[in-house]
Amino acid sequence: MASWVPDILGKPFAQRTLQLGEDADGPVVATLVRSLPPGLLRMLGPLADVDVLYVHGWSDYFFQRELARFWNRLGARFYALDLRKYGRSLRPGQAPGYIASLSDYDADISAALDAMGGPGGGDAGGGRGRRLVLMGHSTGGLTLALWAARHPGAASALVLNSPWLELQTGAIGRQAIAPLVQMRARFDPLGAHPVVDLGFYTRAQREIGSLPDSPDGWRPERGFATHPGWLAAVMAGHARVAGGVDVGCPALVLLSRHSTSPMQWSDQMTSTDSVLVVDDIARTATRIGNAVTVARIDGAIHDVFLSAPAPRDAAYSALERWLVGPGIALP
């Protein structure tokens, strides 16, 4: 396995390339990024025995320094995974973000956990007796919820940041279009879809000032091109969640209080979720386990930790209370 090398985010971040074999596009890799707590925090912080594994959303990669600092301040070791064909893991000639089944990411997650020292382990200071917290945003939240349900007992807690648990059309719309999507996925998996991302979510983040410049191609303003095979994989994940899954651990779901239509620019996009229908996600979240807490953050955007300062602080406060406050949820 490759060694840790400096990351583009600078100190204290480092990265490790995880080899995943080959597919039709050639060699496939994932990339693990880490940030370890400084000094005594790694021994005395309230989460000093915790390893966090973060997975980004669609058309994205890990760049959230502040999020890593939050976990490090509590003593946790923070790891973020750029999945295959995203960000640091995207290679020339690959279809960005493409996957035929969300379960294919099991290999990425397994390689990351091995690099961390195994489920609940860590690569610094011993690999036994540590708790694993999974944290996912949007499509990454859907991916991790399904992974946790397939790997009961591996995670001590699940934190989902605006997880894409249901299609924006709702369950009835998803069921209506599923046969057409599945047929196209079978015969033309890499076919073209109409562009539905008009760039307004990116604009909202830029107006807030929460989005740094990204390397070319890693986070395009209007998102990656979508394909029938990928959409079928996502919708299959939605159907599994709708049927009920059990992530096997306490889960916190962070959402904006309101949604805004993504079809026309509005100033409300800087204080609402313009990607998902958050009321549908809040209802669907009750289908992922027996101990699910939903926190609605007034003024938050789709990535609640990229919101304006006041809702962003509220999101961090809600997360910290859930992790280490009275009535602690993390076992």
Side-chain angles (χ1 to χ4, degrees):
M1 184 177 289
S3 60
W4 293 100
V5 298
D7 186 66
I8 60 169
L9 296 179
K11 293 181 179 180
F13 296 93
Q15 65 166 271
R16 176 181 281 185
T17 301
L18 311 175
Q19 302 293 335
L20 300 175
E22 296 191 8
D23 67 5
D25 291 335
V28 178
V29 303
T31 310
L32 189 64
V33 180
R34 75 175 182 188
S35 176
L36 302 178
L40 292 177
L41 284 176
R42 69 180 64 189
M43 295 181 291
L44 301 179
L47 300 183
D49 65 335
V50 165
D51 290 333
V52 178
L53 179 61
Y54 171 87
V55 175
H56 57 80
W58 169 248
S59 194
D60 213 343
Y61 70 102
F62 173 69
F63 59 87
Q64 292 89 338
R65 292 180 176 91
E66 184 180 60
L67 185 64
R69 286 195 296 268
F70 166 85
W71 287 101
N72 287 167
R73 178 176 60 81
L74 296 175
R77 297 167 183 162
F78 180 86
Y79 298 84
L81 184 61
D82 275 14
L83 296 167
R84 64 182 69 189
K85 304 182 183 182
Y86 284 93
R88 299 165 179 82
S89 308
L90 182 61
R91 298 295 184 263
Q94 293 180 335
Y98 183 79
I99 199 80
S101 171
L102 295 182
S103 63
D104 289 348
Y105 288 132
D106 282 15
D108 306 52
I109 296 168
S110 177
L113 294 174
D114 285 345
M116 295 162 58
D123 64 353
R128 297 185 181 277
R130 298 186 61 80
R131 296 177 291 173
L132 175 66
V133 174
L134 300 173
M135 184 176 192
H137 170 56
S138 198
T139 317
L142 173 64
T143 298
L144 287 179
L146 295 171
W147 184 91
R150 291 193 300 271
H151 299 81
S156 293
L158 180 65
V159 178
L160 302 180
N161 169 10
S162 300
W164 192 14
L165 300 179
E166 181 55 274
L167 202 64
Q168 287 84 332
T169 60
I172 294 176
R174 169 174 50 78
Q175 292 165 0
I177 66 174
L180 297 176
V181 173
Q182 291 166 359
M183 182 177 298
R184 279 208 68 197
R186 190 175 302 117
F187 295 106
D188 188 21
L190 288 168
H193 275 160
V195 175
V196 295
D197 185 344
L198 302 179
F200 296 141
Y201 176 52
T202 298
R203 176 178 171 182
Q205 294 169 87
R206 295 204 185 282
E207 294 209 1
I208 292 169
S210 60
L211 185 63
D213 292 334
S214 299
D216 187 43
W218 286 20
R219 204 175 194 269
E221 182 174 346
R222 299 179 67 173
F224 294 152
T226 62
H227 305 283
W230 169 83
L231 182 57
V234 171
M235 291 176 61
H238 292 158
R240 286 194 291 275
V241 170
V245 298
D246 186 0
V247 298
C249 60
L252 173 65
V253 178
L254 294 153
L255 296 168
S256 178
R257 186 171 294 278
H258 301 288
S259 293
T260 299
S261 169
M263 303 311 296
Q264 183 175 355
W265 171 256
S266 164
D267 288 340
Q268 292 181 337
M269 288 181 168
T270 62
S271 58
T272 59
D273 190 325
S274 59
V275 177
L276 300 180
V277 180
V278 290
D279 288 346
D280 287 350
I281 303 303
R283 285 189 291 268
T284 307
T286 64
R287 308 290 295 167
I288 68 171
N290 298 322
V292 180
T293 301
V294 177
R296 303 289 291 267
I297 310 298
D298 194 30
I301 62 171
H302 179 52
D303 187 332
V304 299
F305 297 109
L306 295 180
S307 302
R312 185 169 71 241
D313 290 347
Y316 278 116
S317 295
L319 176 54
E320 186 165 355
R321 284 194 306 270
W322 187 79
L323 290 167
V324 300
I328 179 172
L330 183 58

